[in-house]
Amino acid sequence: MNAPKNHLTVIHEQVIAAGRFGASRGWVPATSGNFSARLDERHIVVTRSGRDKGALTPADLATISLDEPLPPGLSAEAPLHVARYRADPAIGAIYHVHSTTAALASRLHAASATLLLQGWELQKAFAGVTSHTVALTVPVFANSQDTVALADDVEARLGELPAQSLAPGYLLAGHGLYAWGRDGNEALRHLEAFDVLLQLQLDWERSQR
Ligand SMILES: [Zn+2]
C-alpha cells in the first residue's frame, strides 16, 4: 500500500462525509449501510462492521486489497463492494443504504427482478443520461446472507445488461440500494437522485392502482 498519506486522508474524509450525509437523511438506521471509496487501482477504503455511519472516524474505516482475502471485522457486505470495484475500474465510490424507500421499492419489484425508470427529469442526475425519455434499468436481486454468492450473481447480471440502459445502482429486495459513481461526489449525487426517483416511482405506482 504505497498511496501517500494525504490521499488516504482525503478518501477517509470523503467516506466520513458520505456516512454523515446518509445518516442525516435517515438512510442508514441502527448502524446499517456501508460506504467505500477507491484508494488506488487495487485498494479501497470500506467501513467496518457495526459502526454508526453518522459518526464515522478513520478508526471505523479499513483499507483492503482487491486481490487478497478479506480481513475479519468488515461488513458482511464487503464482498459486494469488492466485486463492483473489480468489475469496473471507473468506479471511485460505492455507497450502500437501507433507506425505507429503497427497501420498499425493491420488495415491490422483486418478482420482476427489475425496476424501470422512465419519464422522470431527475434521471438526468445520473452520469451520461441526457433525457427523461431514456428507459433505465435498476436490477433487483433477491436478498441473501451469502454475500459472496450474491456478488457473483450481481456481477453476472450487470455484465449481461447493456451499459447505456443501466442506472448506476441496484436494489436488494427488502434490503436497500447500492449506488456508485466515478468519485464520491458523483456517488452521492446518484444516491440522492435514486432516493427521489424511487419515491416518485412508488407514489406513481400507488396512484395508478
Ligand atoms: Zn445492507
Side-chain angles (χ1 to χ4, degrees), residues 13 15-25 28 35 53-56:
E13 287 170 354
V15 174
I16 288 168
R20 197 179 298 129
F21 182 76
S24 77
R25 303 294 293 267
V28 286
F35 295 74
K53 305 308 177 302
L56 292 171

Side-chain angles (χ1 to χ4, degrees), residues 32-34 75 77 80 96-98 143 172 175-178:
S32 64
N34 30 73
S75 160
E77 294 183 57
L80 294 165
H96 166 56
V97 296
H98 288 205
N143 196 25
L172 299 179
H175 177 162
L177 165 72
Y178 274 79

